[in-house]
């Protein structure tokens, strides 16, 4: 329980700092990210427990990676992360899951994810901010990538890449569990919302 409370405090601090760096009020961040002001207030007080989709929308809007919202600062030049120490950020009903392993530092961070997709299970994702590029490398099994309504089969040993600013879905295919490594390349700076 103490780990969960510490994770919520880290998330609260990082979200507030990113919002302040972006110069956004709670109202403006909520409008751009399509998250209620109440949920944002709770999050910044370490009382909220946002779901995976909300974290992605906030990160996209703030122009940071999901892990920039979740990770405490590191002092080491080398980070080694074990998958069994990282909690899944998404878990499907059939046993699928997504784990954010780490995010590189620098002006254009890259998130590294491990996904497991069970046959027939899928995760639909909203479009990300312009400039986000995703790459999927299937290490076992097969999946269907649906990008902007078009299905693309990706099998063991194959890699797909696409602009993440369109609706997209990852679906397990075949009869075996699909394992893949995903990278998400994030452009610098916060996303610009539509003018009101």
């Amino acid at each position: 329980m103490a780990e969960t409370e510490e994770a919520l405090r880290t998330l609260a601090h990082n979200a507030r700092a990113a919002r302040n760096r972006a110069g956004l009020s709670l109202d403006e961040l909520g409008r751009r990210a399509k998250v209620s002001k109440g949920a944002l207030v709770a999050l910044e007080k370490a009382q909220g427990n946002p779901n995976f989709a909300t974290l992605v929308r906030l990160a996209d809007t703030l122009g940071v990676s999901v892990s920039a919202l979740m990770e405490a600062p590191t002092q080491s030049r080398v980070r080694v992360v074990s998958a069994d120490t990282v909690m899944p950020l998404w878990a499907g009903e059939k046993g699928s899951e997504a784990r954010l392993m780490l995010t590189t530092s620098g002006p254009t961070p890259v998130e590294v994810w491990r996904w497991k997709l069970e046959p027939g299970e899928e995760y639909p994702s909203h479009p990300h901010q312009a400039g986000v590029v995703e790459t999927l490398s299937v290490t076992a099994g097969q999946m269907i990538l649906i990008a902007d309504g078009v299905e693309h089969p990706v099998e063991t040993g194959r890699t797909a890449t696409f602009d993440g600013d369109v609706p997209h879905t990852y679906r397990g295919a075949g009869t075996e569990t699909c394992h893949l490594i995903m990278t998400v390349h994030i452009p610098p700076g916060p996303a610009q919302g539509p003018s009101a």
Side-chain angles (χ1 to χ4, degrees):
M1 189 65 158
E3 287 179 8
T4 301
E5 290 173 4
E6 181 60 31
L8 286 174
R9 282 193 296 274
T10 298
L11 174 60
H13 174 269
N14 292 345
R16 187 172 38 258
R19 180 178 62 78
N20 289 334
R21 278 193 308 275
L24 297 175
S25 67
L26 285 167
D27 287 325
E28 183 63 13
L29 176 58
R31 185 183 69 75
R32 290 185 187 185
K34 297 181 175 91
V35 175
S36 75
K37 181 179 177 181
L40 292 174
V41 168
L43 185 147
E44 288 193 4
K45 289 183 175 181
Q47 297 170 345
N49 190 11
N51 65 29
F52 178 50
T54 299
L55 288 175
V56 171
R57 285 196 309 273
L58 287 174
D60 279 350
T61 303
L62 293 167
V64 299
S65 65
V66 173
S67 63
L69 293 176
M70 300 183 61
E71 291 180 352
T74 180
Q75 303 299 322
S76 176
R77 292 175 56 113
V78 175
R79 286 186 295 163
V80 177
V81 180
S82 176
D84 60 353
T85 63
V86 177
M87 294 298 296
L89 287 179
W90 171 75
E93 292 180 6
K94 296 180 181 179
S96 299
E97 62 183 31
R99 295 174 191 257
L100 176 57
M101 299 304 296
L102 60 85
T103 301
T104 62
S105 58
T108 56
V110 176
E111 296 177 344
V112 179
W113 292 81
R114 282 184 181 258
W115 281 76
K116 178 173 79 169
L117 291 170
E118 295 300 332
E121 191 157 40
E122 63 181 38
Y123 178 81
S125 179
H126 74 285
H128 302 298
Q129 67 172 307
V132 170
V133 175
E134 293 192 19
T135 302
L136 311 169
S137 294
V138 175
T139 59
Q142 54 187 329
M143 68 169 292
I144 304 290
L145 166 65
I146 305 166
D148 207 16
V150 179
E151 292 190 5
H152 304 273
V154 187
E155 300 174 356
T156 302
R158 293 194 170 180
T159 299
T161 188
F162 65 99
D163 294 332
D165 60 352
V166 298
H168 51 283
T169 298
Y170 325 111
R171 180 187 307 143
T175 58
E176 299 175 17
T177 302
C178 176
H179 294 270
L180 63 112
I181 302 295
M182 173 195 294
T183 59
V184 180
H185 302 259
I186 303 164
Q192 299 301 311
S195 10

